[in-house]
Amino acid sequence: MTSPSEHMMEALSLAKKGLLTTRPNPMVGCVITLNNKVIGRGWHKQAGQNHAEVNAIQDVFDNLGEHAKSALENSEMFVTLEPCSTTGKTPPCAEAIKKHGIKKVYIASEDNSQNGFSKQAIGIEITEGLLRNEARALNKGFFSRIEKGRPYITAKMATGIDGGIALWSGESKWITSDESRKDVHKLRAINEAVLTGTGTILKDNPSLTSRDANLINGEFLQPLRVVIDRSNHLTGKEKIFSSDAKTLIFGTKDSKIKPENNELCVMSRESLGDLKSIMRYLAEKKSINTLMVESGSDIFDALLSEHLIDEFILYQAPKLLGHDRKTFSKFNESYEKPSTMGFEINSITHLGDDKKIILTPNYQ
């Protein structure tokens, strides 16, 4: 006999199908059962389109035809996120669930941006918290934006085994393997925005788009490119201003970037050093759930000192860059002793000759 947890696991698997397309909405999956047998499945496919619950109900009608109405009145629903109770681009799912008389709803995780499904669903039996941790991990960016007022921030670094990211001469631009670089392009597609500073732009002139991830254009959204330009170095001719993706510049009133051609957020030079304020802007004004940082040590260490980095992804190549290497962080300047910053290793995988290490910082 299939357990409620197994039905919710299927709902979570369905939710993951929206990984590249639902932003800024969360990923949601839904399974409807009758007598413990699945009669409908659905997931949220794209922002502005039907939510998972509505798609699953429609799937029941597609599967059962004239028997769908009576089946739904005796059915149970498994949904990965609390059904919406407010009207947005689509009607509230709570109304659809009540309309079709679904008798019991299992919810993996609450949604604090809603008014509370249990308040709206009088007469429906509700079980909350089934696989809650898994559901929250799936939408960690959404929950960070809603609950912390900032995106979930991932810092990406590529280094040799001695921590070097480049030589001071500017050589050794590509430290890691082709497999690692392709994986970075997948990370850009997964994240809603990519943040860097002018130092990286002036040195490498990157496009910061997802191009080499074996993904089909139209099936994913390019990340918003975000650059902090405190000293107004950017001219508008750099690759980040290509039409391949949108770009947001945080600069001063003296910026060379013309707002009619590009998006410019004007701030004082002092405010541009307030990374918490910038993160709050990205969450509130741009609805960014997930942000990947690809920068030099200045922004990296500033975010780290403010405890703003949630996750590190380190691509480590089996190379030594030696005495003249540049490093991705200046810990000796940012912290009194190395022991003040520890990390929990979440996973280690191999990409070609490299290691991909995912870590969580343990802030003191």
Side-chain angles (χ1 to χ4, degrees), residues 3-74:
S3 69
S5 293
E6 289 174 300
H7 289 312
M8 190 63 81
M9 281 299 297
E10 182 176 4
L12 286 166
S13 295
L14 290 169
K16 293 175 184 177
K17 292 186 177 184
L19 174 64
L20 301 175
T21 56
T22 63
R23 65 188 63 166
N25 292 354
M27 294 170 276
V28 183
C30 181
V31 168
I32 299 175
T33 66
L34 177 64
N35 299 325
N36 205 39
K37 293 184 179 179
V38 177
I39 58 173
R41 298 175 173 88
W43 67 93
H44 183 41
K45 298 178 181 179
Q46 190 171 333
Q49 295 185 6
N50 286 339
H51 290 185
E53 300 94 320
V54 173
N55 286 333
I57 290 170
Q58 182 58 53
D59 193 44
V60 174
F61 279 95
D62 292 342
N63 293 333
L64 300 183
E66 61 183 15
H67 301 293
K69 186 176 183 298
S70 61
L72 284 167
E73 291 174 350
N74 294 283

Side-chain angles (χ1 to χ4, degrees), residues 4 8 53 75-85 93-95 97-98 101-111 114-130:
M8 190 63 81
E53 300 94 320
S75 69
E76 296 183 345
M77 174 181 282
F78 297 80
V79 62
T80 59
L81 187 68
E82 178 183 338
C84 61
S85 53
C93 295
E95 293 299 323
I97 294 169
K98 288 191 292 183
I102 295 171
K103 66 176 185 177
K104 184 170 184 176
V105 178
Y106 290 86
I107 300 170
S109 177
E110 72 286 353
D111 180 357
Q114 298 298 318
N115 293 330
F117 175 68
S118 59
K119 299 176 184 178
Q120 313 291 322
I122 306 301
I124 299 176
E125 184 181 350
I126 299 172
T127 297
E128 296 182 326
L130 181 63

Side-chain angles (χ1 to χ4, degrees), residues 32-227:
I32 299 175
T33 66
L34 177 64
N35 299 325
N36 205 39
K37 293 184 179 179
V38 177
I39 58 173
R41 298 175 173 88
W43 67 93
H44 183 41
K45 298 178 181 179
Q46 190 171 333
Q49 295 185 6
N50 286 339
H51 290 185
E53 300 94 320
V54 173
N55 286 333
I57 290 170
Q58 182 58 53
D59 193 44
V60 174
F61 279 95
D62 292 342
N63 293 333
L64 300 183
E66 61 183 15
H67 301 293
K69 186 176 183 298
S70 61
L72 284 167
E73 291 174 350
N74 294 283
S75 69
E76 296 183 345
M77 174 181 282
F78 297 80
V79 62
T80 59
L81 187 68
E82 178 183 338
C84 61
S85 53
T86 56
T87 300
K89 293 182 179 179
T90 60
C93 295
E95 293 299 323
I97 294 169
K98 288 191 292 183
K99 174 184 174 182
H100 293 287
I102 295 171
K103 66 176 185 177
K104 184 170 184 176
V105 178
Y106 290 86
I107 300 170
S109 177
E110 72 286 353
D111 180 357
N112 292 327
S113 69
Q114 298 298 318
N115 293 330
F117 175 68
S118 59
K119 299 176 184 178
Q120 313 291 322
I122 306 301
I124 299 176
E125 184 181 350
I126 299 172
T127 297
E128 296 182 326
L130 181 63
L131 301 187
R132 181 178 184 272
N133 291 341
E134 291 84 347
R136 286 185 64 85
L138 178 65
N139 282 305
K140 56 192 177 185
F142 172 76
F143 289 115
S144 181
R145 176 169 67 86
I146 295 301
E147 298 172 3
K148 296 181 180 180
R150 67 165 176 83
Y152 184 92
I153 301 173
T154 299
K156 185 274 296 182
M157 292 291 169
T159 76
I161 58 176
D162 56 1
I165 60 173
L167 299 177
W168 282 104
S169 64
E171 298 177 9
S172 64
K173 180 178 180 180
W174 301 119
I175 298 172
T176 54
S177 65
D178 289 342
E179 291 86 349
S180 291
R181 292 197 292 274
K182 288 180 180 179
D183 197 69
V184 170
H185 281 260
K186 288 182 181 178
L187 280 179
R188 290 177 184 167
I190 291 171
N191 283 274
E192 298 173 26
V194 178
L195 171 71
T196 195
T198 50
T200 299
I201 299 298
L202 296 176
K203 177 180 177 293
D204 298 330
N205 196 21
S207 298
L208 293 182
T209 57
S210 179
R211 306 178 303 280
D212 193 17
N214 296 322
L215 298 171
I216 301 173
N217 286 335
E219 294 185 356
F220 72 99
L221 303 173
Q222 289 286 357
L224 175 69
R225 298 173 292 195
V226 181
V227 185

